[in-house]
Amino acid sequence: MAIAQLIAGNWKMFKGPAQARSFVAALADATVEQAESLDIVVCPPAVSLAAAVDGAGASRTQIFGQNVHWAESGAFTGEVSGSMLRELGVSGAIVGHSERRQLFGETDETTAARMVAARGVGLQVIACVGELEAEREAGETERVLERQVGAIAEAADGLEGLVVAYEPIWAIGTGRTATLEQAQEAHAVIKRLLPVPVLYGGSVKPDNAAELLALPDVDGALVGGASLDVDSFAAVCTAGARAA
Ligand code: PEP
């Protein structure tokens, strides 16, 4: 039976408005095998969201933010609210990415609060979880996932439009990926805690996407580095279409 796949590109702090606009237009022209059950998302930096929405036009690419604040408005310098994203035509947001957790003090609580606020204004959400290398080596992966996913599950009011991304931190931007066994095991744990689609993230590339996406509990990929180039991102999307 075909299952839906979601391929999301996280551009991090790359691509200003002009590059974002031309990327999404080129992606619409790139050869991505058609599959009804494939969703494609790109997550540009905040300043490039409007250009990306405009460039995507009526194509199948949806535009998500990389973060969203829990308040509607207020004295929160540097933050952006869900309704502001909606006003731009943005369809969803990432919350709790490991770079936010590690570099900017994001916690399970703030991640959950961001998720609740985003869903409250009708945005879809990709909530990121994943263990440090030391935690995996100490045999604590399941405990860490239970804590992180538990915070999301407890706060979530319904599951519609909610996706979790399993991103082992030691695999992000390192060229290392979880083994197929490690990925499948972690995804199964997450789905037991929260029955929503679960994306794998951590050095997904055209040459490893197919085998990861074929795993029974992998419903797509969150792609960093390989999403910055149209051809490599289109190749990962094609792998998603074939797995769907
Ligand atoms: C990410 O930023 O979410 C990510 C998975 O990055 P990369 O694919 O580069 O490891």
Side-chain angles (χ1 to χ4, degrees), residues 105-130:
E106 205 75 69
T107 64
D108 292 337
E109 289 67 35
T110 58
T111 295
R114 291 177 194 275
M115 180 267 301
V116 169
R119 284 164 48 75
V121 294
L123 291 170
Q124 299 168 68
V125 168
I126 300 174
C128 300
V129 298

Side-chain angles (χ1 to χ4, degrees), residues 183-205:
Q184 170 54 32
E185 197 174 69
H187 280 235
V189 168
I190 293 166
K191 281 184 178 248
R192 174 169 54 75
L193 297 164
L194 190 61
V196 297
V198 181
L199 314 183
Y200 172 79
S203 301
V204 175
K205 297 188 170 49

Side-chain angles (χ1 to χ4, degrees), residues 10 12 94 97-99 128 167 171-176 200-205 222-227:
N10 173 19
K12 312 191 184 195
I94 297 173
H97 190 276
S98 65
E99 286 153 14
C128 300
E167 300 206 300
I172 295 180
T174 59
R176 296 168 60 195
Y200 172 79
S203 301
V204 175
K205 297 188 170 49
L222 182 54
V223 187
S227 73

Side-chain angles (χ1 to χ4, degrees), residues 100-178:
R100 301 291 319 169
R101 291 179 190 256
Q102 290 195 297
L103 304 175
F104 301 101
E106 205 75 69
T107 64
D108 292 337
E109 289 67 35
T110 58
T111 295
R114 291 177 194 275
M115 180 267 301
V116 169
R119 284 164 48 75
V121 294
L123 291 170
Q124 299 168 68
V125 168
I126 300 174
C128 300
V129 298
E131 80 286 0
L132 295 163
E133 185 159 33
E135 290 167 333
R136 175 162 284 278
E137 282 172 359
E140 291 174 358
T141 300
E142 188 163 345
R143 190 187 57 76
V144 170
L145 293 178
E146 280 171 356
R147 195 199 72 227
Q148 294 175 334
V149 177
I152 295 161
E154 207 171 298
D157 181 11
L159 303 179
E160 183 70 26
L162 177 60
V163 172
V164 169
Y166 169 60
E167 300 206 300
I169 293 168
W170 45 273
I172 295 180
T174 59
R176 296 168 60 195
T177 50

Side-chain angles (χ1 to χ4, degrees), residues 10 32 35 39 42 46 80 95 117 162 166 242:
N10 173 19
V32 175
D39 288 323
V42 295
V80 172
V95 298
L162 177 60
Y166 169 60
R242 290 179 182 162

